[in-house]
Each structure stands twice: as structure tokens, then as C-alpha cells.
């Protein structure tokens, strides 16, 4: 179904963006609004950035790694989270003087290679733990902590009560933490 979009992206055809908007605009908006809440201008800007990222990097998409829909959701989520971080950073910087602002803009904390390797190993351990969960449990965790959905949104979409969602997530967090600590210790 999405092969036509990917082919058009590879051919750098503008129609690819139109097809993505036609098929996935509601999904992209839903993810962006879930993360950015009531910041409508930022939601619109985020959505435009998603389309731009798909246009510029979509040709590199690989069916073997994930479905196009999953690829699209990941790009949308990451773009929205980047906007949220930027907005929070701007809010924090409002009270700083010019010297502090310049320093915070130019310090790159990602340069530590050792920290990057440790982070990568921790992410892989967490992926193994999440992949071992039952499908419904994994969906709960992803909805809450990956897509940042509220308890109410999860309850409605998964036909559960809010109390059931909260209870299950509490148990899952304990279970995940315990299994994660074992994975990291290996």
C-alpha cells in the first residue's frame, strides 16, 4: 500500500508528500498534539517538519527495518519531542543573562563517546525487555512512555478503565525495572 509513496519519495516526486498528507495527516497530527498539547502553531510547524524530513530522508527508508507507518510514527514522535525540548529550553532561558544563554546554546553534551556507547547498550537492553512483554502490555508502555498519551487516552483507546491502566502500568514499571537491571548487569 505504501510502496507507491516510497517509490515517489525515491524519485523525488512532490506527489509523495501529497499522498503522505492524504493518508497520514490525522495520525501525524494526533501524535504531534499528544506531545505538544494545545500549542497549535507548534503542532502545525512540527507537521510541516515531518513532511520535510520525509521528503529529504524518505528515500533512505528500508522496508526490512519497519513498516512505513512505523517509520512515519517514529519521525513524527521524535520531531514533536524535539519541539517540546526546544520550547522548554526557551522557557528556561528566559531568565538567564546573555552569557549563560550563549554557553547553553553551544555546549554539546553528546561529544562524550563513552557515554554514547553506554547509552546505546542501555537502549538495547530496554528493547530486549520490552520485546519480551505481552503485546497488550507493550502497547500500554509504548502509549504511555513513548507516545506520552494520558491515562484517559489509553483507557479510551484500549477499552480499559483509567484505574486499570494506572494499576497495570505501575506493575509493568516494577517488572520492567527489575528485568532491565538484570539485562544491564549482564
Amino acid at each position: 500500500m505504501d510502496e507507491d509513496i516510497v517509490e515517489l519519495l525515491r524519485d523525488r516526486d512532490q506527489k509523495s508528500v501529497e499522498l503522505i498528507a492524504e493518508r497520514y495527516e490525522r495520525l501525524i497530527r494526533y501524535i504531534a498534539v499528544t506531545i505538544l498539547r494545545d500549542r497549535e502553531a507548534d503542532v502545525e510547524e512540527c507537521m510541516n517538519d515531518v513532511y520535510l524530513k520525509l521528503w529529504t530522508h524518505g528515500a533512505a527508508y528500508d522496508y526490512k527495518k519497519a513498516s512505513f507507518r512505523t517509520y512515519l510514527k517514529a519521525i513524527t514522535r521524535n520531531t514533536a519531542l524535539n519541539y517540546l525540548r526546544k520550547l522548554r529550553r526557551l522557557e528556561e532561558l528566559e531568565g538567564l543573562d546573555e552569557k549563560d544563554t550563549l554557553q547553553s546554546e553551544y555546549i554539546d553534551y553528546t561529544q562524550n563517546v563513552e557515554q554514547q556507547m553506554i547509552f546505546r547498550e542501555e537502549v538495547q537492553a530496554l528493547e530486549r525487555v520490552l520485546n519480551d512483554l505481552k503485546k497488550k502490555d507493550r502497547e500500554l508502555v509504548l502509549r504511555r512512555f513513548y507516545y506520552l498519551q494520558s491515562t484517559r487516552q489509553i483507557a479510551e483507546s484500549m477499552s480499559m478503565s483509567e484505574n486499570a491502566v494506572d494499576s497495570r502500568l505501575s506493575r509493568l514499571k516494577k517488572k520492567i525495572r527489575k528485568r532491565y537491571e538484570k539485562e544491564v548487569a549482564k
Side-chain angles (χ1 to χ4, degrees):
M1 177 181 170
D2 293 324
E3 292 85 9
D4 54 340
I5 292 175
V6 175
E7 195 61 40
L8 290 170
L9 283 170
R10 289 192 176 123
D11 293 342
R12 306 290 289 166
D13 189 328
Q14 182 64 33
K15 187 161 171 70
S16 60
V17 177
E18 294 169 14
L19 281 174
I20 292 168
E22 182 181 305
R23 291 183 192 167
Y24 293 111
E25 182 174 0
R26 289 181 62 207
L27 175 64
I28 293 169
R29 176 174 293 282
Y30 177 78
I31 294 169
V33 167
T34 300
I35 294 171
L36 296 171
R37 304 281 182 231
D38 58 352
R39 297 176 169 118
E40 186 58 35
D42 295 314
V43 168
E44 292 298 326
E45 194 173 328
C46 174
M47 291 176 65
N48 288 333
D49 273 4
V50 168
Y51 293 129
L52 180 63
K53 286 179 182 182
L54 289 167
W55 172 253
T56 56
H57 303 292
Y61 164 71
D62 184 2
Y63 279 108
K64 295 173 190 161
K65 293 183 180 177
S67 70
F68 184 76
R69 183 180 174 93
T70 301
Y71 176 71
L72 176 75
K73 291 191 305 190
I75 287 175
T76 304
R77 176 193 176 273
N78 292 338
T79 304
L81 286 174
N82 287 338
Y83 267 91
L84 189 60
R85 285 185 200 106
K86 179 177 129 185
L87 291 169
R88 287 184 179 157
R89 189 170 51 245
L90 290 173
E91 289 168 0
E92 289 171 4
L93 294 176
E94 284 178 353
L96 300 177
D97 64 18
E98 187 176 328
K99 179 183 170 197
D100 291 333
T101 304
L102 288 173
Q103 286 176 346
S104 66
E105 290 294 324
Y106 292 105
I107 294 174
D108 185 0
Y109 296 100
T110 63
Q111 294 301 314
N112 186 334
V113 176
E114 182 180 349
Q115 283 301 110
Q116 288 178 352
M117 290 176 59
I118 291 169
F119 179 74
R120 190 175 303 123
E121 290 172 4
E122 290 172 348
V123 167
Q124 290 171 347
L126 183 58
E127 284 177 349
R128 288 190 298 271
V129 170
L130 292 176
N131 286 336
D132 288 342
L133 293 176
K134 293 178 185 172
K135 185 177 179 179
K136 189 170 185 175
D137 290 343
R138 186 173 43 250
E139 182 178 353
L140 272 168
V141 170
L142 291 176
R143 283 178 178 271
R144 182 69 187 116
F145 301 108
Y146 188 80
Y147 293 112
L148 305 176
Q149 291 182 342
S150 68
T151 301
R152 175 177 289 153
Q153 289 173 312
I154 297 169
E156 289 172 2
S157 63
M158 295 185 71
S159 302
M160 298 172 68
S161 71
E162 289 183 41
N163 286 339
V165 169
D166 286 336
S167 297
R168 197 155 183 176
L169 281 170
S170 177
R171 286 192 307 272
L172 282 168
K173 281 195 294 189
K174 290 175 187 171
K175 179 179 178 179
I176 290 169
R177 185 177 295 119
K178 189 175 182 180
R179 293 184 71 193
Y180 172 77
E181 288 169 359
K182 286 181 183 176
E183 279 290 323
V184 171
K186 286 183 182 179

